[in-house]
Amino acid sequence: MANNNQPTPAYVGASWAVMLIGILAYLVGLWNAEMLLNEKGYYFAVLILGLYAAISLQKTIRDIAENIPTSRLYYLVSWVALVTSVGLICIGLWNAQLLLSEKGFYMMSFTMSLFAVITIQKNIRDTMSNQPTIKAEQPAIADTASAEIPDKTSLLQSPFRRNKD
């Protein structure tokens, strides 16, 4: 499915800038926060989970839209991971001993980063779908009439087992 809506360089650049600003703001906020190291680790892990889940879900949805075979289990796991990351950041911020402005800052930079990685994944996919596909040269088909047909027992043997010959 060819997509004629190639993203402009300005849009691609803006998407990358928003992602970098969101992630860096979140990380700088964590670095400077007066919280225990395990709390910082929690918020960092939630960010990484959210970024991965958002990219994975966007790719899976795009695969489905383009009729590329996709595992339903992977699709559901991607949704669960994204919802879990958003839920964990909400629960963590709700229970955190932070100023309301700090909670808002973390939530804003988190959601901004998620949106940006989804957009970047879409931009990459749009750009790739507009490039011509380079197909590898097909190997020559062997003459099947003269080819030996293996017996059933050789087909059932493990390829990792050593021959005793």
Side-chain angles (χ1 to χ4, degrees):
M1 175 175 171
N3 184 359
N4 295 329
N5 296 328
Q6 176 97 4
T8 63
Y11 186 70
V12 171
S15 300
W16 279 97
V18 168
M19 184 198 66
L20 292 174
I21 290 168
I23 292 173
L24 286 175
Y26 188 94
L27 294 176
V28 167
L30 274 182
W31 183 266
N32 292 319
E34 292 181 15
M35 59 176 77
L36 297 174
L37 190 57
N38 64 338
E39 289 178 281
K40 291 180 180 186
Y42 171 84
Y43 288 111
F44 178 73
V46 168
L47 175 67
I48 298 303
L49 173 64
L51 294 174
Y52 178 78
I55 292 168
S56 201
L57 181 61
Q58 196 283 333
K59 182 194 178 314
T60 306
I61 290 172
R62 181 77 178 255
D63 286 348
I64 292 169
E66 293 179 356
N67 294 323
I68 296 172
T70 305
S71 164
R72 182 158 173 77
L73 178 63
Y74 189 79
Y75 173 72
L76 293 173
V77 167
S78 297
W79 267 113
V80 168
L82 183 63
V83 170
T84 300
S85 69
V86 172
L88 288 172
I89 191 83
C90 290
I91 291 168
L93 291 175
W94 180 268
N95 293 313
Q97 299 297 320
L98 300 171
L99 296 173
L100 194 55
S101 60
E102 289 177 296
K103 292 178 181 184
F105 169 80
Y106 284 116
M107 195 63 184
M108 181 186 66
S109 58
F110 179 79
T111 54
M112 188 167 93
S113 300
L114 292 186
F115 182 77
V117 295
I118 291 169
T119 306
I120 289 169
Q121 167 63 21
K122 182 188 177 309
N123 290 344
I124 290 170
R125 189 76 173 254
D126 288 345
T127 303
M128 289 175 59
S129 69
N130 288 324
Q131 293 177 351
T133 306
I134 300 171
K135 293 186 178 181
E137 191 175 312
Q138 295 293 327
I141 298 173
D143 180 16
T144 56
S146 65
E148 289 183 29
I149 299 172
D151 62 2
K152 289 183 213 174
T153 56
S154 66
L155 291 175
L156 297 175
Q157 290 178 349
S158 169
F160 303 108
R161 217 155 74 193
R162 293 180 133 181
N163 291 336
K164 294 182 181 181
D165 298 340

